[in-house]
Amino acid sequence: MTHEIAVIPGDGIGQEVTPAAVEVLEALDVDFSFTEAEAGDAVKAETGEALPEETYELAATADATLFGAAGETAADVILPLREAVGSFVNIRPAKAYPGIDAVRPETDLVFLRENTEGVYSGHEDRLTEDVATLTRVTTQSASEQLAEFACEYAGPESEHDGFTIAHKANVMRETDGLFRDTVAEVAADNGVDTDEVLIDAFATKVCLDPTQFDVIVCPNLAGDVLSDLAAGLVGGLGLLPSANIGPDRGLFEPVHGTAPDIAGEGVANPAATIISAAMLLEYLDYDEEAAAVHAAVEETLADGPRTPDLGGNASTADVTAAVIERL
Ligand code: NAI
Ligand code: MG
């Protein structure tokens, strides 16, 4: 069966790393049909819309979407795109690879981030010149859906041994209280082990000893910030992939943005996007091909060539070619 894959490179290095990941997918024996669409600052400047209707529709109907990054319009692009695929969880692995000069080479974490609500619900108001407000939304239903996914991901059938619930329910008693209680209850019902950590304490603990943690389930903003922190532990944003999973489709994207400081130079690290493409393969049950891509990226990171963010002097194209050669 042919899988329809939407490809949305976006802005900046999205235009460099997304084609690199597509090249890797094209080198495999998979039945994919790619359709490219526009989103981001450039298309907004041209048409007035950061996310054209046809791009939203494409993501809402494709089997899977590969997204690069959007610049200043990121929120106008990625939040609706995550909604287009009905995504309720953002999976963000943060793993240190052999040969990479990581702050904490023993890091091997997976963040399961709530992906629809919290402080990213978009309910912001400017009441007066002096006062701006934000309404944080937490629902039992979204917390349950995330928890059910987490139970499958990290439960007894998996390679994981339960998960940690990261929250700040000691201060945000209602919103994070509901989140924590709901997730813990679903886990208990499913016989999955959990423990808890306050998100501020987590930030310190994970830096001192990341091996205390494995799978971390957290609210939207906390997952965004803490996974970027974990990126710092493993050697930078150029290495962090992510998957936005919905009931029927998924959207796969690097954690990083458009990297305006290096965009256009052809030296962006394509690893995060290529690993995101490997997660896309896994999602569509191409397990062998996914494992091959993971292995090829891992070997390339260990033996080079490497892009400047990892201390090398190779180009995006050099690294992509080296990954494909190792497939
Ligand atoms: P960024 O992730 O674009 O860059 C942060 C730093 O990491 C920069 O020094 C950059 O050069 C480096 N970096 C990131 N990815 C890299 C890669 N693949 N290879 C080598 N180096 C890499 O974050 P920043 O600077 O905060 O944001 C830049 C723009 O991206 C902003 O307009 C922001 O709105 C947007 N953004 C978009 C996101 C998305 O579309 N999902 C996510 C985060 C930011
Ligand atoms: Mg972020």
Side-chain angles (χ1 to χ4, degrees):
M1 192 186 86
T2 304
H3 284 111
E4 302 292 332
I5 311 295
V7 177
I8 308 173
D11 300 312
I13 63 166
Q15 290 286 344
E16 302 166 40
V17 294
T18 316
V22 171
E23 241 183 273
V24 171
L25 291 175
E26 282 175 336
L28 299 166
D29 185 21
V30 293
D31 192 4
F32 286 172
S33 161
F34 297 98
T35 308
E36 197 171 315
E38 293 183 310
D41 298 0
V43 67
K44 185 175 181 183
E46 228 175 85
T47 67
E49 266 187 289
L51 185 65
E53 181 65 31
E54 63 261 32
T55 304
Y56 182 94
E57 275 307 311
L58 184 69
T61 52
D63 295 306
T65 298
L66 190 64
F67 173 68
E72 294 314 309
T73 56
D76 305 324
V77 172
I78 191 61
L79 298 181
L81 278 180
R82 286 175 184 155
E83 182 205 285
V85 302
S87 173
F88 54 85
V89 57
N90 187 211
I91 310 173
R92 293 188 163 195
K95 179 176 159 181
Y97 289 96
I100 299 299
D101 185 19
V103 174
R104 287 283 177 212
E106 64 277 33
T107 308
D108 189 1
L109 304 166
V110 179
F111 293 87
L112 300 180
R113 165 188 173 192
E114 200 289 317
N115 214 13
T116 62
E117 53 186 27
V119 292
Y120 289 177
S121 307
H123 302 297
E124 278 201 296
D125 286 298
R126 183 65 179 261
L127 299 185
T128 68
E129 202 175 86
D130 188 44
V131 181
T133 60
L134 163 70
T135 303
R136 181 182 203 217
V137 179
T138 301
T139 64
Q140 194 174 36
S141 50
S143 306
E144 263 169 16
Q145 205 174 15
L146 173 69
E148 276 156 16
F149 181 89
C151 286
E152 222 169 279
Y153 190 93
E157 310 276 280
S158 76
E159 60 187 285
H160 303 283
D161 190 17
F163 57 84
T164 301
I165 308 168
H167 62 80
K168 191 77 185 171
N170 57 334
V171 177
M172 293 178 281
R173 294 192 183 108
E174 290 302 330
T175 50
D176 262 8
L178 178 61
F179 177 83
R180 178 201 54 197
D181 293 350
T182 306
V183 175
E185 202 177 306
V186 170
D189 287 348
N190 284 279
V192 175
D193 286 340
T194 58
D195 55 9
E196 295 181 21
V197 66
L198 295 173
I199 51 181
D200 47 354
F202 175 86
T204 306
K205 287 182 177 182
V206 77
C207 292
L208 293 175
D209 178 13
T211 65
Q212 306 173 64
F213 302 104
D214 177 16
V215 177
I216 302 104
V217 174
C218 47
N220 205 339
L221 171 65
D224 192 6
V225 175
L226 296 174
S227 58
D228 271 33
L229 181 137
L233 299 180
V234 303
L237 276 169
L239 296 171
L240 253 68
S242 80
N244 301 278
I245 304 297
D248 303 310
R249 38 187 57 84
L251 181 146
F252 302 81
E253 50 164 340
V255 168
H256 65 72
T258 57
D261 50 340
I262 58 165
E265 292 174 20
V267 296
N269 186 350
T273 314
I274 296 174
I275 305 168
S276 302
M279 294 175 85
L280 180 153
L281 287 164
E282 260 158 46
Y283 177 72
L284 296 176
D285 289 330
Y286 281 109
D287 290 344
E288 250 171 64
E289 289 79 1
V293 173
H294 279 298
V297 171
E298 216 158 299
E299 280 172 35
T300 306
L301 290 172
D303 301 335
R306 299 198 189 108
T307 43
D309 56 308
L310 300 177
N313 53 17
S315 67
T316 308
D318 296 335
V319 174
T320 307
V323 170
I324 291 172
E325 201 178 302
R326 288 183 168 105
L327 281 176

